Amino acid sequence: TKEPIRIVITGAAGQIAYSLIHQICNGDVFGKDQPVILHLLDITPMMGVLQGVVMEIEDTSLPLVKGAIPTDSEETAFKDVDVALFVGAMPRKEGMERKDLLNANVKIFKSQGTALDKFAKKSVKVLVVGNPANTNCYILAHYAPSIPRENFSCLTRLDHNRAKAQIANRLKVSPENVKNVIIWGNHSSTQFPDVRSATVNVNGKDTPVYDAIKDDNWLKNDFISTVQKRGAAVIAARKLSSAMSAAKAICDHMRDWWNGTKDNEWVSMGVISDGSYDIEKGLVFSYPIQIKDGKISIVQGLKIDDWSREMIEKTQKELVEEKNDAVKATTSD
Ligand code: NAI
């Protein structure tokens, strides 16, 4: 039998965590033979609620769970973890300026990055979900310099899954038939959902999405804005932000990182840029990603036409500004 792995979930008393924990405990992410110990971090006022979550974890009676540790201490949370899921962040409150939100999150991710650096295993795989996800990941990585750069990522898999679903829906096929969509850039409304190199399997044959849909106008306009604004549409309808689909996307992201991607297929992940596709080095940018033996690589050599280049530039510009503001905030206190 395998040794248990330690997984920290921050924001563990929140709504995404509530959907996520069961899938991890059930072996849906790290395997049906992989025991887990959960470290559940939230802020002090949420310790009562978190206790309730721990009671429910116990009540699932799932055999892979070897422990669930609720805590408001960063040391306890990050001690010896193999996987770190940063779901918690400061939510945007009414009347809050973008700058205030950024400042609050910079504080959180500076402090948690420092603790991650000090207490986690150096091999820890990091996924940042809490918004602004790319920039929070940038700050976290900055304050955890002893952890390899390739161990940091942020979540754009939900956007990726949304893009797949929109294409599948339009063609009335199952989403699993749609391959190689890409989310470029920021997890925000400037992201570029790109289906230029995506294919869809119709009647047993892989066809480029552009040929299958035969409606460039829809692909360049409605499709893109629907994916870009999907998060806001869910909030408007549900009065709460996406949680079930976000938790599912976190599981997809980590499962692929753990097990690898399929041959000739890629997924979207925010990673620390190595300059690929002329993106600023060091920026946390969503790219097409392949994974083999736990190693992440950015898919190279995809053709980028002028229109796509412009879309990529737009989201890069927003991210650079966001990152610069965040860096300014780290020095302002
Ligand atoms: P939520 O508000 O239900 O839960 C967040 C939890 O984080 C709360 O329990 C809160 O107390 C906790 N928290 C706040 N500051 C913390 C800190 N410093 N340390 C530890 N815990 C802390 O929010 P929900 O719905 O679970 O969403 C979590 C985050 O995920 C939000 O920032 C949301 O915007 C983001 N999100 C990102 C997506 C993505 O695709 N990247 C998709 C959906 C949501």
Side-chain angles (χ1 to χ4, degrees), residues 163-175 178 218 230:
K164 261 172 83 158
Q166 288 301 316
I167 299 292
N169 207 5
R170 175 90 177 185
L171 292 167
K172 306 211 165 25
V173 299
S174 168
V178 181
W218 182 79
R230 188 68 161 185

Side-chain angles (χ1 to χ4, degrees), residues 31-324:
K32 298 283 182 193
D33 60 346
Q34 178 59 66
V36 296
I37 297 172
L38 298 183
H39 295 199
L40 304 169
L41 179 71
D42 211 295
I43 52 177
T44 312
M46 296 305 284
M47 287 302 105
V49 172
L50 198 52
Q51 207 57 60
V53 173
V54 170
M55 279 155 58
E56 282 206 70
I57 293 172
E58 243 175 75
D59 297 346
T60 61
S61 288
L62 286 166
L64 292 175
V65 183
K66 299 302 173 200
I69 305 161
T71 184
D72 58 2
S73 142
E74 289 178 343
E75 174 167 359
T76 307
F78 296 119
K79 187 84 186 140
D80 295 332
V81 291
D82 301 282
V83 173
L85 307 174
F86 290 86
V87 181
M90 176 66 76
R92 187 168 209 145
K93 291 180 193 130
E94 209 151 329
M96 206 173 189
E97 299 271 338
R98 209 186 73 93
K99 278 241 159 69
D100 302 332
L101 183 73
L102 204 59
N103 282 346
N105 278 302
V106 162
K107 275 211 187 74
I108 292 173
F109 284 86
K110 178 177 178 178
S111 165
Q112 293 185 354
T114 308
L116 187 77
D117 197 57
K118 209 158 155 195
F119 301 117
K121 287 193 184 156
K122 295 305 167 201
S123 58
V124 64
K125 287 181 161 61
V126 176
L127 168 59
V128 178
V129 179
N131 279 318
N134 300 56
T135 300
N136 287 342
C137 182
Y138 180 93
I139 297 296
L140 188 80
H142 181 80
Y143 286 100
S146 72
I147 293 165
R149 302 297 86 184
E150 57 269 23
N151 294 20
F152 291 91
S153 71
C154 81
L155 189 75
T156 53
R157 186 61 172 265
L158 176 55
D159 309 291
H160 180 101
N161 288 347
R162 285 166 174 164
K164 261 172 83 158
Q166 288 301 316
I167 299 292
N169 207 5
R170 175 90 177 185
L171 292 167
K172 306 211 165 25
V173 299
S174 168
E176 76 211 34
N177 293 324
V178 181
K179 275 192 296 203
N180 297 348
V181 306
I182 304 168
I183 303 299
W184 297 94
N186 202 359
H187 169 69
S188 78
S189 58
T190 67
Q191 65 175 263
F192 173 33
D194 175 12
V195 292
R196 275 282 183 218
S197 34
T199 61
V200 56
N201 194 294
V202 192
N203 305 322
K205 223 181 111 228
D206 276 339
T207 313
V209 162
Y210 264 80
D211 295 349
I213 290 198
K214 296 190 194 80
D215 184 348
D216 283 23
N217 184 44
W218 182 79
L219 283 168
K220 282 189 163 170
N221 295 291
D222 286 2
F223 162 69
I224 290 181
S225 64
T226 300
V227 176
Q228 287 174 331
K229 293 179 194 149
R230 188 68 161 185
V234 170
I235 293 176
R238 221 171 73 87
K239 318 289 174 232
L240 283 169
S241 76
S242 314
M244 185 212 305
S245 54
K248 157 65 166 57
I250 293 170
C251 294
D252 288 345
H253 178 118
M254 286 313 303
R255 191 193 308 107
D256 285 341
W257 200 351
W258 211 252
N259 297 318
T261 48
K262 295 185 194 134
D263 286 345
N264 304 315
E265 283 190 36
W266 57 70
V267 295
S268 304
M269 282 169 75
V271 296
I272 297 180
S273 174
D274 61 355
S276 290
Y277 297 95
D278 290 325
I279 299 306
E280 181 177 304
K281 211 171 163 227
L283 208 59
V284 178
F285 198 85
S286 180
Y287 278 112
I289 296 289
Q290 286 177 320
I291 299 155
K292 221 180 163 195
D293 304 324
K295 252 191 77 91
I296 288 175
S297 56
I298 298 170
V299 176
Q300 299 295 327
L302 298 176
K303 284 222 168 63
I304 309 290
D305 59 23
D306 289 347
W307 173 78
S308 305
R309 190 72 232 167
E310 235 172 80
M311 298 295 286
I312 290 173
E313 289 300 335
K314 201 190 264 178
T315 189
Q316 167 167 238
K317 183 167 178 277
E318 180 189 54
L319 259 180
V320 169
E321 282 168 15
E322 207 175 276
K323 183 258 302 178
N324 288 343

